[in-house]
Amino acid sequence: MTKKKINIQHHILIPKHIKLSEKEKETLLDKYNITLQQLPKILKNDSAIQNLDVKPEDVIKIIRKSPTAGESIFYRVVTNV
Amino acid sequence: MNMIDQYEDKLPKSIIAKLRENIPKGTSDSKIKQILENTVKEYNEARVEAGECVGVISAESIGEPGTQMTLNTFHFAGVAEMNVTMGLPRIIEILDGRENLQTPMMEIYLKKPYSEGKNIRDLALSIKETTLKEIAFEFLLNMAQGVIEIKLNSEKMKELGITDVFLSKAISSQIKGYSTRTTKDSLILMSKGKEESLNEIYRNKEKIKDMYIKGVKGISQVLPVKRLDEYIIITAGSNLVEILQLPEVDKERTITNNIFEIANVLGVEAARQAIINEVFKVIESQGLNVDMRHIMLVADIICSSGLVKGITRYGVVSEKSSVLARASFETPIKHIINAALVGEVDYLNSVVENVMLNQPIPAGTGLPNLVTKVKK
């Protein structure tokens, strides 16, 4: 598929993506007592994080709108392909 | 009411909002505190215990109502003359993560003033993919001279806004070795250079029949409909990338039912949401009642690797680290032989392989382990 530049950030299907700082990343891993590999993944070239300037091993915090909890927070680790 | 703010990290947002709404004004602080404490207690009791086998529960909860679903592939979704895959086939399609759907569809929302019905028909027509055979009456072959003559339907061309010049340009850019010439209501393609065999001319004639002329590729049918207060365009066939680039289209709400396309264009998180919406739509349309949370779990699993992976032996199951777990799903011999060839090790970290070996499984009460502090 040819990828042309489209601004899709405000699409209703896309929840908010935030990049965590190194410190926040540490506290997250400590809180749940997990390693980075155990987090769900997101590809580096995923359209939703193109303007966040991410590199592999960064953690993305995703704030989803949830019909059951109102708002739920999810984390994904950036990976290469 | 400030009291409630302190509980924001202990309770989910929806419960906080409900509390705010329902606690009457003038309730004393101590009473509010009591209410909140009790809510937190109830909430924690209602949560799933650590180690609970939620996957099995989800499977049963979706599977059982699934047996009640109609096997009807086609069903008219209220909209005239447009087929939509519904029921079990559609659920299977989504959960298997198929890339080519039986009935791809888009819902195109429009910006104002188009959403109020301005030029809606023309706009819809301009989106639809037009091939050469739709604007032609017949294709004539002149074998002796190597000439293909296309009799054109000038009325239809006018309706679609295609001019002779536009048409010959579109055709000559797609087919090599032919010169184009337009006469009154027909287009003549003449073979350049060497004489071509009959077979080749015939093959070229068949090829140009399906030649793309105008519109958005992949959109085979368009239907403007009024939904609530605005006009939207429903299409058969889907091409999200191209559609999102049109200036008339509302880029925030336009969606397709092709999960893969959504994953490519909008990212995994959007795909997860789309899976939930699509599965829930089917279940609801069948009059069944499945809790949203089960579908969310399935969608999370499908999207956990960053790509959309179906629940098949090529998708999610192939990601499992344990040989025995993979072998227990489908094609056991293939997995066991391959594992033997490369000397794979199974660390028995998950459920299935431990069931096979008659050992306690790491789920439920089998999950916690004893750890002793060694004295130094």
Side-chain angles (χ1 to χ4, degrees):
Chain A
M1 189 177 280
T2 49
K3 272 219 167 150
K4 289 176 196 163
K5 273 270 175 202
I6 340 167
N7 186 15
I8 42 122
Q9 297 311 318
H10 301 293
H11 198 279
I12 38 160
L13 285 177
I14 303 179
K16 199 168 190 187
H17 290 61
I18 302 163
K19 190 171 124 183
L20 289 189
S21 67
E22 282 303 310
K23 209 178 148 197
E24 287 169 314
K25 196 166 121 184
E26 293 290 303
T27 43
L28 171 79
L29 296 183
D30 272 358
K31 185 181 167 194
Y32 293 105
N33 191 20
I34 48 168
T35 58
L36 269 184
Q37 285 75 39
Q38 285 171 301
L39 280 173
K41 297 171 184 71
I42 188 166
L43 298 187
K44 198 180 155 229
N45 55 11
D46 194 279
S47 325
I49 53 170
Q50 285 317 299
N51 55 0
L52 287 180
D53 180 32
V54 288
K55 56 183 189 304
E57 302 220 325
D58 276 341
V59 174
I60 307 289
K61 178 183 181 182
I62 296 151
I63 304 172
R64 296 168 172 170
K65 286 208 173 61
S66 153
T68 51
E71 207 169 71
S72 73
I73 293 167
F74 200 74
Y75 299 92
R76 283 180 188 271
V77 62
V78 179
T79 53
N80 270 323
V81 180
Chain B
M1 286 288 158
N2 291 333
M3 195 75 104
I4 297 178
D5 293 340
Q6 294 166 21
Y7 282 80
E8 254 167 15
D9 51 342
K10 289 182 189 162
L11 290 169
K13 267 209 165 167
S14 59
I15 294 182
I16 298 262
K18 269 186 200 155
L19 282 173
R20 283 227 168 85
E21 224 172 81
N22 291 317
I23 295 179
K25 264 188 190 152
T27 317
S28 68
D29 273 10
S30 61
K31 265 199 178 148
I32 293 181
K33 193 168 168 70
Q34 216 177 343
I35 293 170
L36 285 165
E37 282 302 327
N38 278 326
T39 316
V40 173
K41 199 174 146 233
E42 286 286 329
Y43 172 69
N44 284 328
E45 267 170 27
R47 283 173 63 161
V48 173
E49 300 285 338
E52 183 79 61
C53 298
V54 281
V56 176
I57 298 172
S58 280
E60 300 261 320
S61 309
I62 298 173
E64 193 276 330
T67 62
Q68 317 281 316
M69 254 185 257
T70 47
L71 284 166
N72 260 350
T73 320
F74 292 107
H75 135 110
F76 299 104
V79 192
E81 289 166 35
M82 189 134 355
N83 282 328
V84 191
T85 319
M86 273 293 185
L88 204 57
R90 175 67 182 144
I91 297 246
I92 294 171
E93 205 172 65
I94 301 166
L95 299 187
D96 278 1
R98 299 219 181 115
E99 269 183 75
N100 299 312
L101 307 183
Q102 264 181 15
T103 51
M105 249 183 87
M106 287 190 82
E107 277 174 24
I108 303 173
Y109 286 84
L110 302 165
K111 282 183 189 153
K112 277 185 181 174
Y114 305 99
S115 64
E116 286 154 354
K118 189 194 169 207
N119 295 346
I120 186 102
R121 223 181 92 83
D122 294 342
L123 190 62
L125 274 177
S126 74
I127 287 170
K128 184 170 180 261
E129 178 181 356
T130 309
T131 49
L132 190 55
K133 69 178 169 207
E134 284 170 61
I135 51 168
F137 281 124
E138 61 181 329
F139 293 79
L140 299 172
L141 272 183
N142 187 335
M143 299 292 191
Q145 295 168 325
V147 165
I148 306 171
E149 189 181 350
I150 306 154
K151 288 246 186 282
L152 296 169
N153 182 343
S154 50
E155 237 169 69
K156 200 145 189 207
M157 278 173 68
K158 204 177 268 176
E159 197 184 339
L160 291 164
I162 301 170
T163 57
D164 286 351
V165 184
F166 180 86
L167 184 65
S168 58
K169 222 179 234 172
I171 290 175
S172 54
S173 71
Q174 284 178 79
I175 194 155
K176 298 268 148 63
Y178 280 91
S179 60
T180 54
R181 185 158 56 86
T182 47
T183 58
K184 194 176 175 284
D185 61 55
S186 69
L187 185 86
I188 293 162
L189 288 178
M190 206 178 313
S191 155
K192 283 182 204 163
K194 62 168 174 43
E195 274 184 31
E196 288 182 36
S197 66
L198 292 180
N199 266 339
E200 204 153 326
I201 296 175
Y202 189 78
R203 214 178 307 133
N204 280 331
K205 190 198 93 183
E206 291 301 311
K207 214 165 98 188
I208 59 173
K209 269 188 184 173
D210 290 318
M211 198 171 271
Y212 161 80
I213 304 292
K214 199 173 185 255
V216 178
K217 269 186 190 167
I219 309 288
S220 58
Q221 237 183 78
V222 284
L223 195 76
V225 242
K226 192 167 189 185
R227 182 168 296 174
L228 301 177
D229 289 336
E230 61 181 331
Y231 285 91
I232 65 169
I233 299 174
I234 292 180
T235 69
S238 157
N239 191 342
L240 193 58
V241 192
E242 298 290 330
I243 292 283
L244 284 184
Q245 304 197 23
L246 299 176
E248 298 90 353
V249 169
D250 184 340
K251 291 171 185 60
E252 294 173 21
R253 290 181 296 161
T254 296
I255 48 168
T256 161
N257 71 350
N258 187 339
I259 309 288
F260 263 85
E261 235 177 293
I262 292 182
N264 278 334
V265 183
L266 304 174
V268 246
E269 276 298 318
R272 185 200 90 109
Q273 192 57 52
I275 291 170
I276 297 172
N277 294 348
E278 289 288 324
V279 174
F280 203 71
K281 204 161 80 188
V282 176
I283 286 174
E284 230 178 16
S285 75
Q286 301 276 322
L288 302 172
N289 192 12
V290 177
D291 198 288
M292 199 88 166
R293 279 162 263 235
H294 300 305
I295 302 162
M296 286 180 183
L297 182 70
V298 176
D300 273 339
I301 295 294
I302 291 176
C303 296
S304 71
S305 70
L307 286 164
V308 176
K309 294 216 159 157
I311 310 201
T312 58
R313 69 185 113 130
Y314 309 107
V316 178
V317 179
S318 70
E319 302 249 301
K320 293 193 176 185
S321 57
S322 158
V323 197
L324 292 175
R326 268 179 282 136
S328 75
F329 185 67
E330 273 166 12
T331 58
I333 295 171
K334 191 182 99 192
H335 280 118
I336 291 168
I337 290 177
N338 282 340
L341 282 174
V342 295
E344 227 175 283
V345 181
D346 198 323
Y347 291 100
L348 305 180
N349 283 329
S350 181
V351 178
V352 196
E353 52 271 38
N354 282 300
V355 172
M356 282 182 180
L357 300 180
N358 197 22
Q359 289 187 31
I361 56 167
T365 49
L367 190 62
N369 284 313
L370 267 184
V371 180
T372 47
K373 262 187 192 162
V374 185
K375 264 185 192 169
K376 278 186 183 165

